[in-house]
Amino acid sequence: MTVTARTFTIAGLVVGAAGIGVLWAAGVEFPVAVPPGIIILVAGALFVAFAPWRLSPAVGALLGLFVAVGFAISPTGVDNLLGRHGAAVATGQAIQLVGVLTALVAGVLATTAARRTPQRR
């Protein structure tokens, strides 16, 4: 099996969702019973994995960007990452951030590579 930027995009989305799961388990409150970010990132990973379109990794990049911007503008994002709300929260925040940044970078690389590759007919 060849590891590609598309594979890293999928893995980044799944790792980002796992980070949200750690945040949830650590006691971070979310607006609904199941954190919507988990569902959104897992759905995005499934889309990137199974969509037949060569530019589908762009969806993973956009989801990674969306969550990374959410972290940056969140009033608790940096505090969570620095451990001001506990080590488990810091760990979850770090996992989430590594995952979505990986999805962002890999998604851009995969989309760029797909655009350069001639489409099969």
Side-chain angles (χ1 to χ4, degrees):
M1 178 174 144
T2 303
V3 178
T4 64
R6 186 183 196 113
T7 305
F8 276 104
T9 305
I10 296 163
L13 293 170
V14 171
V15 169
I20 295 172
V22 172
L23 287 168
W24 187 27
V28 173
E29 292 189 29
F30 290 89
V32 292
V34 175
I38 292 175
I39 296 167
I40 292 166
L41 292 178
V42 169
L46 291 170
F47 178 81
V48 174
F50 296 111
W53 307 290
R54 63 189 179 130
L55 298 180
S56 63
V59 171
L62 290 173
L63 287 173
L65 178 64
F66 177 75
V67 175
V69 168
F71 163 80
I73 65 173
S74 170
T76 59
V78 173
D79 286 343
N80 285 348
L81 187 60
L82 296 177
R84 294 190 178 126
H85 301 286
V89 172
T91 301
Q93 190 68 69
I95 292 169
Q96 177 195 24
L97 201 53
V98 166
V100 298
L101 291 176
T102 298
L104 171 59
V105 172
V108 168
L109 292 173
T111 303
T112 302
R115 289 190 65 211
R116 290 183 185 154
T117 305
Q119 203 171 14
R120 290 185 218 158
R121 297 208 180 240

